[in-house]
Amino acid sequence: MASARYTLNIKPEDLIPDEPLPQTRKQKIQNWLHYHKWWFIGGALVLLILGMIVRDMVTAPEYDYTIGIVTAQMLPDQILDELSDAFATLADDRDGNGEVAVQVQQYNLQFTEETGESGDSSSAAGSSDPAASGYEDTSGVQAAGNLTNAYERIAAMTRLTGDLSSATSFIYLTDDPAGLQNNALLFCYTDGTTPAEGATDVENMTVAWADTPAADLELEPLTMADGSQMDLQEWMSQYYFGFVADADSRTYQKEDVQAYRADSGRLWEALTGLPNPAGAAQ
């Protein structure tokens, strides 16, 4: 109990607490933000991210075809754009928008160290890495040599697997056909039939760029750092075409995917001079 000297001269009304002053609208908002600001900031960030995703989906270019290119070397945009434009001259307007657009999507994977069967992909056909040979990347993207980072290879393989599952591409180019087939098991034979499990005759599943009509496409030369020119056709002579085997998955059996596969087979005919593999019995 408080001592009498402390309560001396204190009136009962002095013990009644003061009533809180009413807050203005501004003070109420400031008080709410003080206690909820992190929730507010988090929600705003989520909305911003969702908005960016929606924007990218809406503004993403529509492609009639996507062709994959699997290589251990990071190809600069000039090569990809040149190939895209050249392939578009042989493709048809699938979506009927009056334009033919072909995307060349690269996957940077090096199988040599993992399989020990495919040889040194960077030295095929006597060619050198455009980055190592002094290629000047006019797109501003620095060309790199062979990828050795394990995490990058895992990420690229994951992306390739995802695109295969969603039937993004049916035509692939690679400078290491044995390594790609041993790791991804994606190719059918050039006549369209599906290889038996464990088949290793990759030479019957792929065709060399140099042996196809693609070798006659007009490709602009690459500008080197010293001002010299590199023949892109010569560079592409180390690559091979392959066509994705049909699958029993629900995605592959969709009508629109089968139509895309058949159309890709016709583009394969124009690029390789071989029959449409999508028209063969599986």
Side-chain angles (χ1 to χ4, degrees):
M1 183 176 179
S3 173
R5 64 178 178 175
Y6 293 118
T7 58
L8 185 65
N9 299 324
I10 294 180
K11 299 176 182 179
E13 56 268 25
D14 294 335
L15 300 176
I16 300 175
D18 296 334
E19 293 184 5
L21 296 175
Q23 290 184 324
T24 65
R25 179 180 178 84
K26 180 179 179 181
Q27 288 173 325
K28 290 180 180 179
I29 293 176
Q30 290 176 334
N31 184 62
W32 185 90
L33 288 175
H34 175 75
Y35 289 103
H36 300 87
K37 61 182 177 181
W38 294 115
W39 289 99
F40 180 79
I41 292 173
L45 288 175
V46 169
L47 290 176
L48 177 62
I49 293 173
L50 289 175
M52 293 174 64
I53 293 175
V54 172
R55 182 201 63 186
D56 290 343
M57 293 175 62
V58 172
T59 60
E62 294 290 336
Y63 294 103
D64 296 293
Y65 297 92
T66 296
I67 295 178
I69 182 165
V70 182
T71 175
Q73 301 166 74
M74 180 73 77
L75 301 182
D77 287 349
Q78 184 179 340
I79 292 180
L80 303 179
D81 292 343
E82 191 65 27
L83 292 174
S84 296
D85 293 342
F87 294 159
T89 64
L90 301 176
D92 58 311
D93 180 15
R94 294 191 71 250
D95 56 15
N97 66 352
E99 298 180 359
V100 178
V102 178
Q103 175 184 225
V104 177
Q105 177 67 57
Q106 70 171 317
Y107 308 85
N108 300 118
L109 290 164
Q110 182 172 339
F111 300 113
T112 302
E113 295 176 355
E114 299 171 5
T115 65
E117 299 175 2
S118 58
D120 185 356
S121 62
S122 65
S123 61
S127 300
S128 58
D129 186 341
S133 57
Y135 169 72
E136 183 179 3
D137 185 0
T138 56
S139 67
V141 179
Q142 179 63 43
N146 289 346
L147 296 179
T148 57
N149 186 288
Y151 294 105
E152 290 178 340
R153 293 202 300 271
I154 292 173
M157 192 66 190
T158 300
R159 189 160 54 88
L160 173 61
T161 302
D163 286 351
L164 284 171
S165 299
S166 60
T168 299
S169 307
F170 283 102
I171 301 173
Y172 280 85
L173 280 162
T174 180
D175 54 1
D176 186 3
L180 177 56
Q181 180 63 12
N182 290 342
N183 282 269
L185 303 176
L186 74 163
F187 293 140
C188 63
Y189 287 119
T190 55
D191 65 359
T193 56
T194 301
E197 184 176 353
T200 59
D201 53 336
V202 182
E203 67 277 5
N204 295 321
M205 308 175 197
T206 57
V207 57
W209 172 284
D211 297 332
T212 69
D216 296 325
L217 290 172
E218 293 186 9
L219 301 177
E220 290 294 326
L222 304 181
T223 303
M224 312 300 287
D226 60 2
S228 62
Q229 303 287 307
M230 173 183 280
D231 187 345
L232 184 51
Q233 274 290 356
E234 181 181 352
W235 170 256
M236 291 304 300
S237 66
Q238 64 185 301
Y239 284 87
Y240 294 78
F241 283 103
F243 198 85
V244 176
D246 203 3
D248 294 329
S249 70
R250 182 178 301 178
T251 298
Y252 273 53
Q253 295 309 311
K254 290 181 178 179
E255 184 177 349
D256 59 334
V257 174
Q258 285 294 308
Y260 177 44
R261 187 170 188 270
D263 291 343
S264 296
R266 284 189 285 274
L267 178 56
W268 163 275
E269 286 184 287
L271 288 169
T272 67
L274 298 174
N276 184 346
Q282 301 298 314

